[in-house]
Amino acid sequence: AVALSGAFSGSSKTQATDEPAHPPASRPSPPRVHTVVVSKTQIGAARSIREGLERAKPGSRVEVREDWEEAVDVNPSWFSTADVTLVGAAPGGKRVTWRPTVGVVPDKPWLVFQSGGGLRIENFAFDAASPDGKVLCKIGPLVNGSATTLTGCEFRRFPEAAVVLSHTWNGPAPVVVEKCRFFQESWPDPNPDS
């Protein structure tokens, strides 16, 4: 505390303290985010990204914590992805490498996100890993006008197209691509003598 003196309505002494006149209002703690873990080894975790998305609720965070192989078709008629964040959450904040499963149908994308609105996909390295197919990832059709966002992702070794955008229903539904990198590699000719 600091003592002050001066000419305040007479020559009385006034004492100031370090304490505020009114105690600060307590700040509410941030709301808990419903988190679904996708892991091959963790007890109680979803065993596939699709299962993780099926368990998600609006506002959930689905964390894939290790490199992954799976072909996924996210369709809003099967489950909602409203305001869901699908994130690669490898130790140390590294990107999770996501590859297709063996036997992906040629000429079909192995990742299809038909979002019901607000799906956010972040911190993955999508690696086509083989020349099968022409498209790595298809986004759309999108419904309900909410954005699908890809952020902090890499697209590697995609055959002809890394991301293909499809039509939208019920008005505009933006696709936001931010801080993503694309690395296309040429594949060896399977018939070099022809």
Side-chain angles (χ1 to χ4, degrees), residues 35-116:
T35 301
V36 178
V37 174
V38 177
S39 170
K40 298 171 199 142
T41 57
Q42 186 172 328
I43 295 172
R47 295 294 184 236
S48 69
I49 291 172
R50 181 181 168 119
E51 180 186 347
L53 291 169
E54 287 172 348
R55 289 187 190 181
K57 302 172 186 172
S60 289
R61 180 178 169 92
V62 178
E63 295 184 354
V64 182
R65 296 191 174 169
E66 59 211 58
D67 288 351
W68 207 258
E69 289 186 8
E70 182 177 358
V72 175
D73 187 344
V74 177
N75 187 316
S77 64
W78 299 329
F79 47 85
S80 173
T81 57
D83 301 317
V84 170
T85 299
L86 174 61
V87 62
K94 294 181 182 176
R95 282 186 184 94
V96 167
T97 299
W98 186 349
R99 293 183 178 92
T101 49
V102 176
V104 171
V105 177
D107 298 329
K108 297 232 180 203
W110 56 273
L111 296 172
V112 179
F113 298 106
Q114 301 178 57
S115 177

Side-chain angles (χ1 to χ4, degrees), residues 1-4 14-21:
V2 178
L4 299 175
T14 306
Q15 188 170 0
T17 65
D18 293 334
E19 298 174 15

Side-chain angles (χ1 to χ4, degrees), residues 110-189:
W110 56 273
L111 296 172
V112 179
F113 298 106
Q114 301 178 57
S115 177
L119 178 63
R120 184 174 180 86
I121 304 158
E122 59 186 56
N123 207 37
F124 285 99
F126 298 102
D127 188 347
S130 78
D132 294 338
K134 293 183 179 181
V135 176
L136 192 151
C137 177
K138 176 185 167 198
I139 299 178
L142 304 174
V143 296
N144 298 333
S146 295
T148 294
T149 303
L150 293 166
T151 186
C153 292
E154 288 183 359
F155 294 84
R156 303 176 186 158
R157 299 192 287 179
F158 50 92
E160 290 183 17
V163 179
V164 171
L165 306 179
S166 186
H167 60 282
T168 61
W169 299 334
N170 298 333
V175 175
V176 178
V177 179
E178 56 190 16
K179 299 179 184 175
C180 291
R181 299 176 357 164
F182 298 83
F183 303 97
Q184 184 175 25
E185 295 180 17
S186 58
W187 296 98
D189 186 349

